[in-house]
Every structure is written in C-alpha cells, then in structure tokens.
Amino acid sequence: MTTGTHAHDGRNAAREFPLAAVRGLALALVSLPGAVVCFVAAVVSVCLIPIGVGIVTTPYVLKAVRAFADRRRVLAAEWGGVRIPPSYRPLPKDANPWARTFGMLSDPATWRDLLWLPVDMTAGFVTALLPPALVVYPLEGFAVAAGLWRVLPDPWWYGFVPVSGQVSALGAAALALALLAVGHFTAARLLRVHFLLTRAVLGSGGRELAERVRVLTETRRDAVDTSAAELRRIERDLHDGAQARLVAVGMDLGTVEALIEKDPGQARELLARTRQSSAEALTELRDLVRGIHPPVLAERGLGDAVRALALRLPVATEVDVTLPGRADAPVESAAYFAVSEVLANAVKHSGADRIWVDLHHADGHLRVTVTDNGRGGAVTGGGSGLAGVERRLGTFDGVLAVSSPAGGPTLVTMEIPCVLS
C-alpha cells in the first residue's frame, strides 16, 4: 500500500511540474504588461480628476482594474486552491459619474487593487516566473554539457560553475539535474506562493470581519426582500390563475346540478368544460410548484437538474458534473436558480453558440463555472441579472466572479461553502 501511494504521489508531481511551469509562464506574460497598463491608466485617470476628464474615465479604468483582479482571484482558486473573496462596496445603480468615481475611490478594496498592481508587476512577476525558469534553465545546463560550451566564451558561468572544458561542463549538467529535481518537487508550491502573495495584498486583512458583517447584513436584507416578493408573486399567480379556474369549476358544477334533469345534453357539455378547466388548473399548479422548487432537483439532485436545464436551451450546452454527494436543499436550490439565471443571460445577451457548465466540489466549496464563447462585456452591476445572482449566493456566504473581456469569452464562477452528504 505504501509503495502504491508513493508511486501515485510521484506521478502527480511529474504532472504538476510541467503544468505549473506552463501556468507560471502564462501568469508572467500577463501579470507584467497587464499590471503596468492598469496601473498607469489608473494613475493618469486619477490625476485628471481635477480638470474633470478623470470624473468620466476613472470609473471605467477602475472597473477594468477590478476585472483584472477578479480574473486573478479565479485563477488563484482554480490553479492554487487559494480563495480571495472580493469585497467591493456596491454602488447605486443610478449613480452619476461623480458619485461613481468617488464611491469607488472611497472603497478600501479599490486601493488594495491599486497597491497590488505594482506588487504584481514586480514580486508577482518573479514568483510566477520561477516555475518555468526551473524547466528552462536546466535545459541550458544540459546543452552546455552536450558540447555547447565549445562555442561559448571561456569561461562560461552556469550558475556558480565556471565552464571551460568537458569536466566542468559535466558539473554544469549535475547542477542542472539538481535544479530540475528541485523544480520537480517545488514548482506547484512556488506557483501557490504567487497566489498567496496576491491574497496577502488583495485580501481585506483585519477589516475582513467588519466587511463580512456588512455583506451578510445586506444579503440578509436582500433575502428578506426577495422572499417577500416571491411570496407576493405566488399569491398573485394563485389568485389570478388556479384559484380563478377552481372558482369557475365550482360555479359550473352548480349549473350542472341545476341542469342535469332539465337539460342533460347541456349538462354534459358543461361537465366536459369543467373537466378541461380542472386539468388546466392542475397544470398551472404544477408549473407554479416547479418554479418554486423543480421536482427533478428534489428527486435527482443538482447535477441532473442542471443537465435537464441545459437540454431546454436553444444553444449547444455541455455539462460536466463531479459531485460525490448532495448538498443541503437550500444550497442546491440557490445554486440551481443561480445557474439558471447565468444561462439565461448567456442565451439572451452573449450571442454565444456554445456554453460549457462545470460543477464540482472541492475544499469544502461547491463551485460552478459557466463559460460561453460569446461577445463578452458582461458586468455584475447596472441592474444586470448577475447582480441578483450575487445577492442570491451572498445569502449563503457564496461569491461570484466574472471575467468577460470585450470579444469574449465570458467566464462566470460561483462558489458556495457547503458539505456534501
């Protein structure tokens, strides 16, 4: 058993090393130019506030900075297992440019984003570059040992080894082998260090508890308002739909009772109409119950409910589910309707012809990712459906992250802390 476990760990490390190197290289290529552009644009826009230009440009620039930071939050969770919940203060939907600018600038999370940008372009760049460096630099040592030293200046320093002949070149190869072994066992950990550094700057630190209380207070109020609105909708649907039909059925039955001896033919016609009305009332009641809690969700769980939801979409949708158990019913319901809203947004607004949904449970969190190949440009504010999804998830201490650059693709990640049974 021990031997099998060690072999499994070795195979995992062998896969993680090149994967961490590729991911680190991708981060390094993005973090430096992306952070520089965002930081320079933010500084210039803020400096232009006194002359009025910055009042217009700053909200858009800061929104781009937040999108850049949110994308790193998503990668931190997916690639490093490091969760960095966003803690931005909501802005009024009808806020004018002046209110939006100073509302965003008064948010501590905005200043953490701006502080993170120079850190990301320096220390973040270096920590992201270490895993690929531990792959590329040993290749140079092997090339030197294979004969490249003959055409290099004498001596050629490989690390701390001065290469001037074949013997010293073999020493360079030994050093390269040692670096490769170090990278084999540490590359994934080094990549995690990059994300831990990101969390250290983007995280809310000592203000996390106060921010958490504020967010929970808002989400509780939203949940109460949503529940009241849902109750009014159910009452209205019952009153205008099934209740009205059942009242009509009762009246028709009274008429049938009066006509059954005088005019049996007309009584039979009324009975047929009454039967039809009762069937329609039953259908309306079933639709109403399905809107409150879909039967497939209660009977077969979240995975099958989302698959059934995808089958009804007019866009080709792939669903990948890895759930070893079931979450509590309220969590499943919140996740189902959140996915439903995100899919509806993708169908209506993205122009996508393909959608991918991934559901899995890891590190005590139910994570749902919805990706489409549409035009992008999705935002959580401005009265969009994603704002409602964020409030729904917030009731369960869940988070929503959106990455949707112009031109697409759009990646929506939802997480809810829960345990599976």
Side-chain angles (χ1 to χ4, degrees):
M1 178 64 69
T2 303
T3 302
T5 302
H6 288 169
H8 179 70
D9 292 343
R11 289 193 295 270
N12 283 343
R15 287 194 298 266
E16 289 175 355
F17 183 21
L19 184 60
V22 171
R23 289 174 171 177
L25 181 60
L27 284 172
L29 293 176
V30 171
S31 63
L32 182 59
V36 169
V37 170
C38 288
F39 184 74
V40 172
V43 170
V44 171
S45 184
V46 171
C47 290
L48 292 176
I49 288 178
I51 63 174
V53 177
I55 297 294
V56 178
T57 60
T58 299
Y60 296 99
V61 173
L62 294 182
K63 187 181 294 185
V65 171
R66 291 184 177 187
F68 185 66
D70 281 341
R71 180 58 183 167
R72 193 62 54 88
R73 290 184 176 95
V74 172
L75 294 180
E78 294 182 350
W79 290 359
V82 178
R83 297 186 67 253
I84 314 173
S87 56
Y88 300 113
R89 294 176 180 174
L91 294 172
K93 298 177 182 179
D94 56 348
N96 56 41
W98 180 276
R100 295 187 69 83
T101 296
F102 288 98
M104 298 178 80
L105 289 177
S106 64
D107 188 348
T110 297
W111 294 103
R112 287 196 295 271
D113 287 351
L114 296 178
L115 175 63
W116 167 70
L117 291 174
V119 173
D120 190 51
M121 70 179 73
T122 52
F125 175 76
V126 173
T127 54
L129 200 59
L130 283 175
L134 288 173
V135 172
V136 176
Y137 195 54
L139 296 180
E140 179 188 339
F142 295 138
V144 169
L148 184 62
W149 64 272
R150 301 178 188 278
V151 297
L152 295 174
D154 188 11
W156 176 263
W157 286 87
Y158 179 76
F160 56 82
V161 178
V163 179
S164 57
Q166 189 60 52
V167 174
S168 54
L170 293 176
L175 177 58
L177 188 61
L179 290 175
L180 202 61
V182 170
H184 178 77
F185 292 105
T186 64
R189 295 181 178 89
L190 290 173
L191 188 65
R192 181 176 170 83
V193 168
H194 171 88
F195 294 122
L196 290 174
L197 175 66
T198 302
R199 184 174 67 181
V201 183
L202 287 182
S204 55
R207 291 183 290 270
E208 184 175 358
L209 182 59
E211 187 67 21
R212 183 181 178 86
V213 171
R214 183 190 65 80
V215 171
L216 289 177
T217 301
E218 290 184 356
T219 54
R220 183 184 63 182
R221 184 177 63 248
D222 290 337
V224 172
D225 293 342
T226 301
S227 297
E230 186 70 8
L231 181 59
R232 289 192 296 270
R233 182 188 69 81
I234 294 172
E235 292 175 345
R236 184 175 61 252
D237 289 348
L238 284 173
H239 182 272
D240 297 341
Q243 179 179 325
R245 290 189 182 277
L246 291 175
V247 169
V249 167
M251 295 175 63
D252 287 342
L253 287 175
T255 305
V256 168
E257 187 178 8
L259 292 176
I260 195 166
E261 293 182 357
K262 299 179 181 179
D263 191 347
Q266 188 176 358
R268 282 194 295 272
E269 292 179 4
L270 281 175
L271 280 174
R273 189 170 66 187
T274 301
R275 187 187 308 112
Q276 180 66 26
S277 296
S278 65
E280 291 174 354
L282 181 60
T283 300
E284 289 185 0
L285 286 172
R286 285 174 175 170
D287 292 340
L288 182 62
V289 171
R290 187 177 294 109
I292 299 172
H293 195 77
V296 67
L297 180 62
E299 296 169 3
R300 302 177 61 181
L302 180 61
D304 286 340
V306 172
R307 288 191 182 99
L309 187 65
L311 290 175
R312 297 196 297 268
L313 296 179
V315 177
T317 304
E318 296 181 15
V319 180
D320 184 20
V321 180
T322 308
L323 296 177
R326 293 192 59 174
D328 293 339
V331 173
E332 285 193 334
S333 179
Y336 173 83
F337 286 108
V339 173
S340 177
E341 180 66 27
V342 172
L343 290 175
N345 281 354
V347 171
K348 292 179 183 178
H349 307 299
S350 71
D353 57 15
R354 200 162 191 83
I355 300 174
W356 296 265
V357 183
D358 177 74
L359 293 89
H360 65 276
H361 186 270
D363 301 325
H365 289 79
L366 174 66
R367 182 178 299 163
V368 184
T369 303
V370 180
T371 309
D372 68 64
N373 62 352
R375 65 177 67 94
V379 294
T380 55
S384 70
L386 292 176
V389 172
E390 192 170 32
R391 289 193 297 271
R392 183 187 294 272
L393 298 178
T395 306
F396 297 88
D397 203 15
V399 295
L400 172 74
V402 180
S403 174
S404 184
T410 294
L411 175 67
V412 179
T413 302
M414 297 163 279
E415 278 192 358
I416 304 177
C418 69
V419 295
L420 301 185
S421 59

